[in-house]
Amino acid sequence: MGQEMYSLSSTQHWTTAADPELAVTTRGEVPAQDVTRAVRAITRVMRRHHLDSPARVRVTAPRANDEPTLVQANIRTNDTLTRVQVTGPGGFAVTFAAERLDRQLARRAGKEARGAWPDPARRPLAQVTETRPIIRRKDCALMTGTPLEASTVLDAMDYDAYLFTDADTGEDAIVTWADPHGVRLARQHRTVAAGDSAHLPLTASAMPVRVVQDAAPVYAEDEASDVLCRGGLPYLFFTDSHSGRGNLLYRRYDGDLTIVVPS
C-alpha cells in the first residue's frame, strides 16, 4: 500500500497481500492516506478477533464539503457475514467504522450487549424533503425465517430495517430497531389486536420483539416516495399496489432513495 499524498477519482480498488486479505474500494475524491488508515484500522480489528477471512471496505467521499464520508466494512466469519456502515468527517469515518466493527464482532461473540436506540453513531436520515428519486432498485430473494432469525440478520448486517418473508405467516415483513431497546416487527397484513399480547419471545440478543398493530399501507412506488420524503421518514415498508408484495423504501445518506423488492 503506497503512502503517496494524492486523491483517487471515480472508483478505485486496492487489495493488500497481507494476511488477512483486505480489499478497499474508493468512490470519489478519497485521499490516499485514508485508504492506508482504513487498511491499518480494519486489519487491527480482525487480528484482535483472530480472523483470517477476507474483508471488504468501501470508502465513499462526500460530494460537497459539508457532507460526511461514508465507510462500509464487510467480513465473513464462519459463513456468517458481518457488516458495519458509518459516516463521519474525513479520516475520522474510518476510525468510527473500525470501532463499530470491533463492537459488532464482540457482540457476535457474546462479549458485549447492544446499546440503546437511536444509535448516536448514526447520522439521522429522518427529514422532510421534496420528493427524491429512486436511484437504486434491489431485487432480492428474501430470506424466509422467523422474526428472531430476521433480527439476527438485522444486527449482524448493521441495518436499520430488514425485509424478509415471515415463516410464521407467509407474508412479507420487516424488523427494525425499537426505542430504546428491542426490535419492532411489521407484517403486510397480520397484526396483533389491541388487548392481546403484542410481544414475541426475546431475540438471540435478549431483546424483546414488539409487533406493529397496523397493516402495511398500500402504495405505488411513486406514491411511497412522496410519503417517505414529505413525511420525513428514514424508511417505509409498504405493500406494492401492482405486485402485492412487501417493499422496503429507504433514504440513502446522499438523500436519494433505494427500494428493496422481492425477486
Side-chain angles (χ1 to χ4, degrees):
M1 183 68 60
Q3 297 292 324
E4 295 85 2
M5 300 292 288
Y6 61 90
S7 293
L8 308 175
S9 60
S10 66
T11 299
Q12 301 284 340
H13 304 278
W14 304 69
T15 303
T16 68
D19 186 20
E21 175 190 335
L22 192 151
V24 179
T25 299
T26 63
R27 295 180 179 176
E29 300 293 326
V30 177
Q33 61 265 32
D34 285 354
V35 177
T36 302
R37 184 181 288 112
V39 170
R40 291 175 176 173
I42 300 300
T43 298
R44 282 196 297 268
V45 172
M46 295 174 66
R47 288 175 175 165
R48 184 179 302 122
H49 292 273
H50 308 290
L51 301 176
D52 57 5
S53 304
R56 301 290 180 265
V57 179
R58 186 176 73 227
V59 183
T60 303
R63 295 184 296 186
N65 291 333
D66 59 346
E67 294 180 355
T69 296
L70 175 65
V71 179
Q72 180 178 305
N74 299 268
I75 297 178
R76 184 172 295 278
T77 58
N78 300 322
D79 295 326
T80 300
L81 187 63
T82 299
R83 167 190 177 274
V84 298
Q85 180 172 274
V86 297
T87 61
F92 289 103
V94 170
T95 301
F96 297 160
E99 293 173 348
R100 190 175 185 88
L101 180 63
D102 189 29
R103 293 193 300 270
Q104 187 87 320
L105 292 170
R107 189 164 63 252
R108 296 297 302 277
K111 299 177 182 178
E112 186 174 320
R114 185 174 184 90
W117 185 265
D119 190 335
R122 290 288 197 191
R123 177 188 177 192
L125 296 177
Q127 55 182 319
V128 177
T129 65
E130 294 297 318
T131 302
R132 300 292 292 266
I134 297 176
I135 66 168
R136 187 178 181 189
R137 185 182 185 89
K138 295 183 179 180
D139 294 287
C140 299
L142 300 187
M143 180 196 81
T144 298
T146 66
L148 273 62
E149 291 169 332
S151 299
T152 299
V153 177
L154 177 76
D155 190 22
M157 296 299 289
D158 204 19
Y159 292 146
D160 291 343
Y162 178 61
L163 178 67
F164 72 108
T165 299
D166 183 12
D168 296 334
T169 63
E171 56 190 295
D172 300 325
I174 64 165
V175 284
T176 61
W177 297 116
D179 184 9
H181 296 280
V183 174
R184 184 180 294 108
L185 167 68
R187 300 189 183 100
Q188 280 185 279
H189 310 292
R190 185 172 176 181
T191 63
V192 177
D196 293 338
S197 174
H199 295 279
L200 293 177
L202 297 179
T203 67
S205 302
M207 295 181 290
V209 179
R210 174 175 288 276
V211 181
V212 174
Q213 298 186 19
D214 295 314
V218 179
Y219 296 123
E221 288 185 8
D222 57 346
E223 294 175 316
S225 299
D226 190 62
V227 169
L228 182 145
C229 292
R230 296 183 181 277
L233 306 175
Y235 52 79
L236 176 65
F237 173 59
F238 67 98
T239 295
D240 183 80
S241 59
H242 299 292
S243 69
R245 297 296 302 272
N247 288 191
L248 174 61
L249 180 68
Y250 65 88
R251 195 188 303 266
R252 297 156 47 95
Y253 280 102
D254 61 9
D256 291 332
L257 309 179
T258 293
I259 190 166
V260 183
V261 300
S263 60

